[in-house]
Amino acid sequence: MGAAEERRVDKLRIQIFDDSASLGRAAAQFTAIVVRDAVAARGSARVVLATGNSQLDFVAALQNQAGVPWDAVTVFHLDEYLDLSAEHPASFRRWIRERITDPLRPAHVHYIEGDAPDPQAECRRYEELLRAEPLDLVCMGIGENGHIAFNEPHQVDFADDAWVRIIELDHESRVQQVGEGHFGSVEETAPRAITVTVPALLSARALQLAVPELRKAPAVRATVYDEVSPACPATILRHQAHAVLLLDRQSASLLDS
């Protein structure tokens, strides 16, 4: 599906669609192509998927993509709250299970166990799984504060030696989770999470960012125009020629014409 508008800022390719549904269909088509090509070339594909409300149109459209060889795909996810049960309504493991694992039946799905008894050991376990073979595709969004995965402003290290680590969640990120309906109040939100780090994300052969909705417009503008720095982690995407940022009219509304 062709974008209504396309541009490039530094190395980052940007596509703007008329609405979130069109963006979601385009993201699903892009993912399907990358997966099919990887399986055709190497016999399997390794994909990291984001969760959250901004990805709902994308994963809904992904379920309608025909001919995707899910039986040859290994799926990872980006992050998980620390000390949160996999059955909690806000759990990203639950999100992946309900929207990816159950309907699509990938060959393997590796979950970050946020309630593991030894969180540091869990980080090491998941990092070993990620590093085992190259990643073909990372699908993610951008947080309202400019985070990617849960790599928060001023905490992120663009040259991190670790591929998975524990991070303290920004207040803005916790407010976002409440606004999306996952928690009843900021006090109920998890203060820490396990996240895949920026070097791991950027290591993939292709990066897809699906970022719809008006509430993301300030973060999109910062991503495109701010200095590339840990103050807005998503700015590092401007250095990635293998990345595509998919926007709708609302999330792109603060970009210069």
PDB file of all heavy atoms in Angstrom, residues 2 6 66 68 79 83 87 145 172 182 191 194-195 216 236:
ATOM      1  N   GLY A   2       0.682   2.106  -0.993  1.00  0.00           N
ATOM      2  CA  GLY A   2       1.526   3.275  -1.115  1.00  0.00           C
ATOM      3  C   GLY A   2       1.201   4.340  -0.084  1.00  0.00           C
ATOM      4  O   GLY A   2       0.044   4.533   0.291  1.00  0.00           O
ATOM      5  N   GLU A   6       6.003  10.574   1.155  1.00  0.00           N
ATOM      6  CA  GLU A   6       7.242   9.927   1.580  1.00  0.00           C
ATOM      7  C   GLU A   6       8.357  10.954   1.571  1.00  0.00           C
ATOM      8  O   GLU A   6       8.422  11.805   0.684  1.00  0.00           O
ATOM      9  CB  GLU A   6       7.579   8.742   0.673  1.00  0.00           C
ATOM     10  CG  GLU A   6       8.801   7.969   1.129  1.00  0.00           C
ATOM     11  CD  GLU A   6       8.883   6.563   0.537  1.00  0.00           C
ATOM     12  OE1 GLU A   6       7.876   6.083  -0.019  1.00  0.00           O
ATOM     13  OE2 GLU A   6       9.964   5.947   0.648  1.00  0.00           O
ATOM     14  N   ALA A  66      -1.802 -13.087   3.924  1.00  0.00           N
ATOM     15  CA  ALA A  66      -1.775 -14.474   3.481  1.00  0.00           C
ATOM     16  C   ALA A  66      -0.350 -14.902   3.119  1.00  0.00           C
ATOM     17  O   ALA A  66       0.478 -14.087   2.722  1.00  0.00           O
ATOM     18  CB  ALA A  66      -2.686 -14.645   2.272  1.00  0.00           C
ATOM     19  N   VAL A  68       2.210 -15.959   4.866  1.00  0.00           N
ATOM     20  CA  VAL A  68       3.373 -15.703   5.722  1.00  0.00           C
ATOM     21  C   VAL A  68       3.748 -17.018   6.409  1.00  0.00           C
ATOM     22  O   VAL A  68       2.921 -17.624   7.088  1.00  0.00           O
ATOM     23  CB  VAL A  68       3.071 -14.618   6.776  1.00  0.00           C
ATOM     24  CG1 VAL A  68       4.303 -14.369   7.644  1.00  0.00           C
ATOM     25  CG2 VAL A  68       2.622 -13.331   6.097  1.00  0.00           C
ATOM     26  N   ASP A  79      10.071  -5.777  25.620  1.00  0.00           N
ATOM     27  CA  ASP A  79      10.204  -5.393  27.018  1.00  0.00           C
ATOM     28  C   ASP A  79       9.104  -6.054  27.844  1.00  0.00           C
ATOM     29  O   ASP A  79       8.145  -6.596  27.315  1.00  0.00           O
ATOM     30  CB  ASP A  79      10.145  -3.864  27.181  1.00  0.00           C
ATOM     31  CG  ASP A  79       9.112  -3.208  26.271  1.00  0.00           C
ATOM     32  OD1 ASP A  79       8.064  -3.825  25.997  1.00  0.00           O
ATOM     33  OD2 ASP A  79       9.338  -2.068  25.831  1.00  0.00           O
ATOM     34  N   ASP A  83       8.472  -7.791  37.878  1.00  0.00           N
ATOM     35  CA  ASP A  83       7.613  -8.270  38.976  1.00  0.00           C
ATOM     36  C   ASP A  83       6.133  -8.267  38.628  1.00  0.00           C
ATOM     37  O   ASP A  83       5.285  -8.200  39.522  1.00  0.00           O
ATOM     38  CB  ASP A  83       7.843  -7.441  40.251  1.00  0.00           C
ATOM     39  CG  ASP A  83       9.278  -7.514  40.744  1.00  0.00           C
ATOM     40  OD1 ASP A  83       9.888  -8.587  40.606  1.00  0.00           O
ATOM     41  OD2 ASP A  83       9.795  -6.499  41.245  1.00  0.00           O
ATOM     42  N   GLU A  87      -0.127 -13.031  33.581  1.00  0.00           N
ATOM     43  CA  GLU A  87      -1.583 -12.975  33.434  1.00  0.00           C
ATOM     44  C   GLU A  87      -2.148 -11.597  33.746  1.00  0.00           C
ATOM     45  O   GLU A  87      -3.348 -11.373  33.562  1.00  0.00           O
ATOM     46  CB  GLU A  87      -2.238 -14.031  34.347  1.00  0.00           C
ATOM     47  CG  GLU A  87      -1.824 -15.451  34.025  1.00  0.00           C
ATOM     48  CD  GLU A  87      -2.040 -15.789  32.550  1.00  0.00           C
ATOM     49  OE1 GLU A  87      -3.116 -15.454  32.013  1.00  0.00           O
ATOM     50  OE2 GLU A  87      -1.131 -16.379  31.939  1.00  0.00           O
ATOM     51  N   ASN A 145       7.449   9.993  25.281  1.00  0.00           N
ATOM     52  CA  ASN A 145       8.634  10.732  25.712  1.00  0.00           C
ATOM     53  C   ASN A 145       9.835  10.462  24.803  1.00  0.00           C
ATOM     54  O   ASN A 145      10.962  10.840  25.122  1.00  0.00           O
ATOM     55  CB  ASN A 145       8.984  10.405  27.160  1.00  0.00           C
ATOM     56  CG  ASN A 145       9.405   8.953  27.352  1.00  0.00           C
ATOM     57  OD1 ASN A 145       9.309   8.139  26.434  1.00  0.00           O
ATOM     58  ND2 ASN A 145       9.855   8.624  28.549  1.00  0.00           N
ATOM     59  N   GLU A 172       6.742   9.938  32.774  1.00  0.00           N
ATOM     60  CA  GLU A 172       5.907  10.128  31.584  1.00  0.00           C
ATOM     61  C   GLU A 172       5.502   8.788  30.974  1.00  0.00           C
ATOM     62  O   GLU A 172       4.373   8.633  30.486  1.00  0.00           O
ATOM     63  CB  GLU A 172       6.640  10.979  30.547  1.00  0.00           C
ATOM     64  CG  GLU A 172       5.765  11.394  29.375  1.00  0.00           C
ATOM     65  CD  GLU A 172       6.450  12.366  28.450  1.00  0.00           C
ATOM     66  OE1 GLU A 172       7.513  12.912  28.810  1.00  0.00           O
ATOM     67  OE2 GLU A 172       5.903  12.602  27.344  1.00  0.00           O
ATOM     68  N   HIS A 182      -3.986   0.573  30.750  1.00  0.00           N
ATOM     69  CA  HIS A 182      -3.390  -0.660  31.250  1.00  0.00           C
ATOM     70  C   HIS A 182      -3.331  -0.712  32.774  1.00  0.00           C
ATOM     71  O   HIS A 182      -3.271  -1.798  33.356  1.00  0.00           O
ATOM     72  CB  HIS A 182      -1.990  -0.829  30.669  1.00  0.00           C
ATOM     73  CG  HIS A 182      -1.956  -0.782  29.175  1.00  0.00           C
ATOM     74  ND1 HIS A 182      -2.698  -1.637  28.394  1.00  0.00           N
ATOM     75  CD2 HIS A 182      -1.292   0.029  28.312  1.00  0.00           C
ATOM     76  CE1 HIS A 182      -2.489  -1.370  27.117  1.00  0.00           C
ATOM     77  NE2 HIS A 182      -1.643  -0.359  27.045  1.00  0.00           N
ATOM     78  N   PRO A 191       7.315   0.260  38.416  1.00  0.00           N
ATOM     79  CA  PRO A 191       8.358   1.291  38.322  1.00  0.00           C
ATOM     80  C   PRO A 191       9.569   0.885  37.503  1.00  0.00           C
ATOM     81  O   PRO A 191      10.345   1.736  37.084  1.00  0.00           O
ATOM     82  CB  PRO A 191       8.759   1.517  39.787  1.00  0.00           C
ATOM     83  CG  PRO A 191       8.463   0.205  40.455  1.00  0.00           C
ATOM     84  CD  PRO A 191       7.259  -0.358  39.751  1.00  0.00           C
ATOM     85  N   ILE A 194      12.263  -4.760  32.231  1.00  0.00           N
ATOM     86  CA  ILE A 194      13.375  -5.333  31.475  1.00  0.00           C
ATOM     87  C   ILE A 194      13.170  -4.930  30.021  1.00  0.00           C
ATOM     88  O   ILE A 194      12.081  -5.095  29.474  1.00  0.00           O
ATOM     89  CB  ILE A 194      13.410  -6.864  31.597  1.00  0.00           C
ATOM     90  CG1 ILE A 194      13.701  -7.271  33.045  1.00  0.00           C
ATOM     91  CG2 ILE A 194      14.453  -7.463  30.660  1.00  0.00           C
ATOM     92  CD1 ILE A 194      13.632  -8.768  33.284  1.00  0.00           C
ATOM     93  N   THR A 195      14.207  -4.386  29.402  1.00  0.00           N
ATOM     94  CA  THR A 195      14.086  -3.935  28.012  1.00  0.00           C
ATOM     95  C   THR A 195      15.231  -4.445  27.155  1.00  0.00           C
ATOM     96  O   THR A 195      16.360  -4.639  27.632  1.00  0.00           O
ATOM     97  CB  THR A 195      14.038  -2.399  27.944  1.00  0.00           C
ATOM     98  OG1 THR A 195      13.749  -1.997  26.593  1.00  0.00           O
ATOM     99  CG2 THR A 195      15.355  -1.761  28.367  1.00  0.00           C
ATOM    100  N   LYS A 216       1.259  11.087  19.795  1.00  0.00           N
ATOM    101  CA  LYS A 216       2.659  10.812  19.487  1.00  0.00           C
ATOM    102  C   LYS A 216       3.310  11.924  18.662  1.00  0.00           C
ATOM    103  O   LYS A 216       4.507  11.873  18.394  1.00  0.00           O
ATOM    104  CB  LYS A 216       2.776   9.486  18.720  1.00  0.00           C
ATOM    105  CG  LYS A 216       2.309   8.249  19.505  1.00  0.00           C
ATOM    106  CD  LYS A 216       3.192   7.999  20.705  1.00  0.00           C
ATOM    107  CE  LYS A 216       2.777   6.761  21.467  1.00  0.00           C
ATOM    108  NZ  LYS A 216       3.135   5.508  20.802  1.00  0.00           N
ATOM    109  N   ILE A 236      18.133   8.438  17.397  1.00  0.00           N
ATOM    110  CA  ILE A 236      19.173   7.588  16.826  1.00  0.00           C
ATOM    111  C   ILE A 236      18.692   6.924  15.536  1.00  0.00           C
ATOM    112  O   ILE A 236      19.512   6.513  14.689  1.00  0.00           O
ATOM    113  CB  ILE A 236      19.612   6.508  17.849  1.00  0.00           C
ATOM    114  CG1 ILE A 236      20.917   5.824  17.424  1.00  0.00           C
ATOM    115  CG2 ILE A 236      18.532   5.475  18.080  1.00  0.00           C
ATOM    116  CD1 ILE A 236      22.113   6.735  17.355  1.00  0.00           C
TER     117      ILE A 236
END
